[in-house]
Amino acid sequence: MTGTPVGDVDLTVVTPVGSRRADPLPLLVAHDGPEYSRRAHLVSTLRAAIESGRIPPTRVALLEPGARNQRYAANPDWADALTGHVLPAIRAAYASAGRPTVMGASLGALASLQAEWRHPGTFGALFLQSGSFFRKRVDDEEDFEFWNRVTAFVTGVRRARKRRTDARIVMTCNVDEGNLTNNRQMAQALSASGHDVVLHELPGRHDWRHWEAAFDPFLLTLLQGSVHLNRRAGEAHGADA
């Protein structure tokens, strides 16, 4: 895809076996999609869940990160590219049922939250794993090249006094990693401003193996309810199903 605010964006859309482009199906958008598929077996997990009837047939858009730090580290241009260019292109090519779900790990979780924060109502649900919600005096990441951009965005979210989005937000974080404290604080801040958010603290570290372990039940449960959530959202916003 060309012509976005961050340049070319590469992605792959994986569709359930037997489905057609004209079939309106829920959509899951995954930051770091190829890594999620290769290292955390996202596509195979979803395929098995669809075949067993645990979740409805669901398409997944696997986003190539490109210049990952530049794009995902609270870059408003990436949020605009995703919501204003990538999603419309996907929806032009594939019929969609309601609002999509977006997911990401580490900086991908940060990018997922920012996209919905800047463009509320785009997504029906967010699945945020070990988000890099860096804060001054909490995280020892000052040498990170986009530290100021990330901390400014996180501060803005924390200062919100009312709900910004009606999307359901499910967070997971592993207890043996550096982002645990800032994830706890982000969940608390989102809850205090009226958001539908839950944080699950799980064993493990900041890696793909432990993010995969959180798919069942937390991602699958979120996707189980995506059809009902999207139907209610569509009725509320007058959106097409």
Side-chain angles (χ1 to χ4, degrees):
M1 182 177 305
T2 61
T4 85
V6 297
D8 295 352
V9 177
D10 295 323
L11 69 143
T12 300
V13 177
V14 180
T15 62
V17 174
S19 66
R20 300 172 302 172
R21 287 175 177 259
D23 295 334
L25 301 180
L27 175 67
L28 172 64
V29 179
H31 285 94
D32 293 306
E35 291 292 279
Y36 257 126
S37 183
R38 183 175 66 87
R39 302 182 64 181
H41 309 104
L42 174 64
V43 172
S44 59
T45 298
L46 296 177
R47 183 180 298 119
I50 292 169
E51 291 174 351
S52 66
R54 294 188 62 188
I55 64 172
T58 300
R59 292 190 182 94
V60 56
L62 304 175
L63 301 175
E64 296 269 5
R68 184 175 188 273
N69 288 358
Q70 171 65 35
R71 289 181 175 182
Y72 289 2
N75 184 349
D77 287 342
W78 170 251
D80 295 347
L82 176 60
T83 59
H85 295 260
V86 175
L87 282 179
I90 295 172
R91 299 186 79 153
Y94 299 90
S96 181
R99 292 186 289 173
T101 297
V102 66
M103 68 183 293
S106 195
L107 286 176
L110 177 72
S112 298
L113 178 62
Q114 190 192 37
E116 176 64 15
W117 200 260
R118 282 182 60 84
H119 303 277
T122 299
F123 298 100
L126 284 63
F127 188 67
L128 312 179
Q129 297 195 272
S130 303
S132 297
F133 305 124
F134 298 151
R135 293 193 66 207
K136 297 176 181 178
R137 297 181 298 278
V138 172
D139 298 289
D140 186 22
E141 299 284 352
E142 288 89 346
D143 292 336
F144 179 56
E145 58 186 322
F146 300 112
W147 167 260
N148 289 333
R149 197 167 71 189
V150 172
T151 56
F153 170 69
V154 170
T155 297
V157 174
R158 290 180 52 81
R159 287 178 175 171
R161 292 295 175 262
K162 61 181 181 180
R163 187 175 67 181
R164 178 82 171 181
T165 170
D166 64 356
R168 184 179 179 189
I169 304 172
V170 174
M171 302 171 61
T172 73
C173 196
N174 301 309
V175 297
D176 296 320
E177 65 163 284
N179 281 347
L180 181 60
T181 296
N182 65 52
N183 272 252
R184 286 172 172 169
Q185 294 180 349
M186 177 58 77
Q188 292 168 356
L190 289 169
S191 178
S193 53
H195 293 87
D196 178 1
V197 59
V198 60
L199 169 64
H200 301 285
E201 298 182 12
L202 307 171
R205 300 180 181 277
H206 192 87
D207 58 39
W208 291 105
R209 178 167 65 91
H210 291 105
W211 293 327
E212 177 185 1
F215 292 167
D216 191 355
F218 303 114
L219 176 61
L220 298 185
T221 300
L222 187 63
L223 294 176
Q224 285 170 4
S226 64
V227 172
H228 304 293
L229 289 169
N230 283 324
R231 184 176 296 121
R232 290 199 300 270
E235 292 169 352
H237 292 273
D240 292 334

